[in-house]
């Protein structure tokens, strides 16, 4: 065990009743997907995007879809998209799956839209910001796989179930978290006595606010992050390491504990 904080984190997790992971962009950093904030973050490079993207979409969904199919979106979208399309799950994602299979990890609330946690095999996963590989209807909420993207004949594409407006499942800036996702996340947070915050700056509400709600209810907050974050002041333990290094080690320790 090289990192004493990791030993303490493993002990805290093993002693907890209901551990919920809250993941952010740092979990996918080693999959080649840029984070948003920090030195080489997308927002650091391109500036924080406008917070009214969703309102603009609703004003002119056809115009939004036209820009989408003609690839004339914002530069940060094009940079993020090329990284997303090549990304594969990394050892941190696979370690989370191992923790779920040990039944040490009860659920994962992810802020990531890259779909890598799902592809790695997480099943008790709540993608609170959506999943870029899916479409979602704003009318009935139906989610459908995006598959190999074929520009829809009709813009905006109508929902096959209700004829409503379809958008990507990824939550846009200014868009409310889909109620089903928020309810599922809240249920897990209400049960949690330990939150494992992995690779998130704890900046964006309401997602990151869930950690404060858990903390106020007495949950232990453990963060895995090379840097200090807004969550650091409420964290009982801060493991200053990359997720790709810390999570496989944590899985190794907890596997021995669980097997006895
Ligand atoms: N391992 C663990 N953490 C890392 C790593 C790594 N290898 N590399 C960077 N980090 C940490 C950074 O220190 C930072 O605290 O990951 C965090 C990434 O923070 P953000 O870029 O703010 O990403 P996130 O917290 O997921 O942002 C939340 O903001 O813009 C919205 O929708 C976007 O879902 C995103 C939300």
């Amino acid at each position: 065990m090289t990192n004493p904080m990791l030993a303490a984190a493993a002990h805290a997790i093993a002693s907890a009743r209901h551990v919920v992971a809250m993941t952010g962009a740092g979990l996918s950093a080693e999959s080649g997907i840029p984070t948003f904030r920090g030195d080489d973050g997308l927002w650091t490079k391109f500036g924080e995007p406008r917070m009214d993207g969703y309102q603009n979409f609703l004003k002119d969904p056809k115009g939004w879809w036209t820009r989408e199919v003609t690839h004339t979106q914002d530069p940060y979208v094009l940079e993020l998209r090329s990284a997303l399309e090549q990304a594969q799950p990394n050892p941190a994602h696979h370690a989370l799956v191992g923790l779920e299979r040990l039944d040490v990890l009860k659920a994962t609330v992810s802020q990531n839209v890259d779909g890598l946690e799902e592809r790695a095999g997480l099943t008790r996963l709540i993608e609170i910001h959506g999943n870029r590989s899916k479409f979602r209807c704003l009318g009935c909420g139906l989610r459908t796989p995006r598959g190999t993207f074929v520009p829809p004949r009709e813009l905006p594409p109508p929902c096959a179930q209700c004829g409503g407006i379809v958008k990507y499942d990824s939550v846009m800036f200014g868009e409310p978290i889909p109620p089903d996702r928020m309810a599922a996340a809240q249920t897990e947070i209400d049960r949690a006595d330990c939150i494992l915050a992995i690779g998130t700056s704890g900046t964006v509400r309401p997602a990151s606010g869930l950690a404060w709600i858990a903390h106020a209810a007495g949950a232990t907050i453990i963060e895995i992050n090379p840097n200090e974050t807004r969550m650091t002041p409420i964290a009982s333990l801060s493991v200053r390491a990359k997720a790709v290094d810390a999570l496989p080690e944590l899985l190794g320790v907890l596997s021995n504990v669980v097997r006895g």
Side-chain angles (χ1 to χ4, degrees):
M1 175 63 61
T2 53
N3 185 330
M5 289 302 260
L6 203 73
H11 178 71
I13 289 166
S15 321
R17 175 182 35 80
H18 197 92
V19 178
V20 173
M22 282 193 65
T23 59
L27 177 69
S28 300
E30 269 70 33
S31 298
I33 299 175
T35 58
F36 297 98
R37 298 166 187 88
D39 298 344
D40 52 359
L42 274 179
W43 304 158
T44 313
K45 189 172 172 182
F46 292 105
E48 287 268 348
R50 295 162 53 103
M51 287 297 134
D52 59 357
Y54 182 57
Q55 287 68 23
N56 289 333
F57 172 83
L58 292 178
K59 277 183 207 148
D60 179 15
K62 181 171 183 172
W64 188 92
W65 271 106
T66 303
R67 286 190 300 282
E68 180 62 20
V69 298
T70 54
H71 302 294
T72 49
Q73 293 289 20
D74 292 338
Y76 85 83
V77 173
L78 302 177
E79 179 165 322
L80 183 55
R81 181 163 296 153
S82 68
L84 287 164
E85 269 148 17
Q86 300 159 52
Q88 298 297 325
N90 69 56
H93 295 103
H94 293 302
L96 275 183
V97 175
L99 290 172
E100 183 182 89
R101 286 178 183 160
L102 279 178
D103 201 27
V104 163
L105 179 64
K106 301 296 187 188
T108 297
V109 177
S110 177
Q111 298 171 88
N112 298 337
V113 299
D114 56 36
L116 294 180
E117 289 134 318
E118 183 181 57
R119 280 173 54 194
L122 274 182
T123 57
R124 298 195 291 258
L125 172 64
I126 301 157
E127 294 168 308
I128 199 165
H129 286 168
N131 181 323
R132 67 175 305 273
S133 68
K134 294 173 185 157
F135 292 119
R136 173 167 40 92
C137 171
L138 292 180
C140 64
L142 176 70
R143 288 182 178 84
T144 49
R146 188 167 146 182
T148 46
F149 181 68
V150 175
R153 283 187 311 281
E154 192 182 341
L155 298 178
C159 171
Q161 181 167 277
C162 77
I165 293 177
V166 168
K167 64 179 287 290
Y168 292 139
D169 184 37
S170 302
V171 172
M172 291 177 168
F173 288 100
E175 180 179 1
I177 302 287
D180 61 334
R181 291 286 192 271
M182 198 61 194
Q186 191 69 59
T187 300
E188 288 304 332
I189 291 299
D190 291 347
R191 288 180 184 149
D193 61 342
C194 179
I195 298 289
L196 188 52
I198 306 164
T200 179
S201 61
T203 309
V204 169
R205 307 279 168 145
S208 63
L210 294 170
W212 273 264
I213 291 170
H215 179 254
T220 300
I221 308 296
I222 299 171
E223 69 172 349
I224 296 180
N225 196 314
N227 305 304
E228 284 204 7
T229 73
R230 292 193 184 179
M231 279 191 200
T232 302
I234 63 167
S236 310
L237 289 164
S238 294
V239 179
R240 290 286 170 248
K242 291 183 175 181
V244 75
D245 298 325
L247 287 175
E249 193 168 343
L250 199 58
L251 175 61
V253 173
L254 288 164
S255 299
N256 294 332
V257 169
V258 168
R259 290 195 186 111

